[in-house]
């Protein structure tokens, strides 16, 4: 075997091992790649009790009930299905009925999602006041920004512990 053939064999086998490793990692993370599952997806997949995942959707109006010791229950819906959620802790400032939410936890045997973390979402039209002022100065301001900005000037998404984070999708 010549030097060139030996080098090509080593490169080829290295690429094959790398491709196999990438395929195994992607296969293992296939279900975890999604940022969150909606109630409809949970119903379709028949998620087993105890399996951790993120649940996302809108908090149903009229479903929020506060209990003792910071216990809260509410329903999350996506238009097709609803899923009851139980959480014990301090909710983020942006949390309210009709607002988007992402909760992390697991289903129990009764089909209730037991969340240990709740993230409130703001809409994608959020624009900081400084950015809006700079756009106005530069003449790039559009009139429809005023309507959207006045409805959605809110701080970034916050976790249940009150830490500020980037937008949750």
């Amino acid at each position: 075997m010549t030097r060139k053939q030996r080098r090509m064999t080593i490169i080829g086998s290295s690429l094959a091992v790398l491709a196999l490793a990438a395929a195994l990692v992607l296969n293992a993370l296939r279900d975890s790649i999604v940022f969150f599952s909606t109630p409809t997806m949970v119903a379709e997949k028949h998620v087993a009790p105890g399996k951790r995942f993120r649940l996302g959707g809108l908090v149903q109006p009229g479903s929020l009930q506060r209990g003792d010791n910071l216990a809260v229950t509410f329903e999350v819906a996506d238009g097709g299905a609803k899923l009851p959620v139980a959480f014990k802790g301090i909710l983020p400032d942006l949390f309210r009925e009709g607002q988007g939410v992402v909760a992390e936890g697991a289903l129990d045997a009764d089909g209730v999602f037991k969340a240990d973390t709740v993230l409130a979402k703001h809409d994608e039209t959020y624009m900081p006041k400084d950015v809006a002022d700079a756009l106005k100065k530069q003449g790039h301001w559009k009139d429809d920004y005023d309507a959207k900005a006045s409805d959605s000037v809110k701080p970034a998404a916050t976790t249940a512990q009150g830490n500020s984070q980037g937008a949750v999708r």
Side-chain angles (χ1 to χ4, degrees), residues 7-60:
R7 188 179 314 136
M8 292 306 241
T9 304
I10 291 172
I11 291 173
S13 58
S14 298
L15 287 175
V17 168
L18 184 63
L20 179 65
L24 289 173
V25 167
L26 289 175
N27 188 37
L29 297 176
R30 178 178 25 171
D31 292 333
S32 301
I33 290 175
V34 178
F35 288 110
F36 60 82
S37 299
T38 63
T40 302
M41 292 168 70
V42 172
E44 289 173 354
K45 289 183 181 179
H46 302 291
V47 177
K51 182 180 178 194
R52 291 188 55 81
F53 65 96
R54 286 186 175 177
L55 174 69
L58 294 176
V59 177
Q60 283 297 104

Side-chain angles (χ1 to χ4, degrees), residues 107-145:
L107 284 175
D108 67 3
D110 298 329
V112 176
F113 186 79
K114 299 287 187 180
D116 51 35
T117 304
V118 173
L119 305 170
K121 295 171 52 175
H122 61 74
D123 62 7
E124 64 278 352
T125 58
Y126 167 73
M127 186 177 301
K129 185 178 182 329
D130 298 339
V131 174
D133 292 342
L135 284 174
K136 285 179 184 177
K137 280 183 184 178
Q138 295 173 1
H140 296 294
W141 188 258
K142 296 180 183 171
D143 290 333
D144 62 339
Y145 287 151

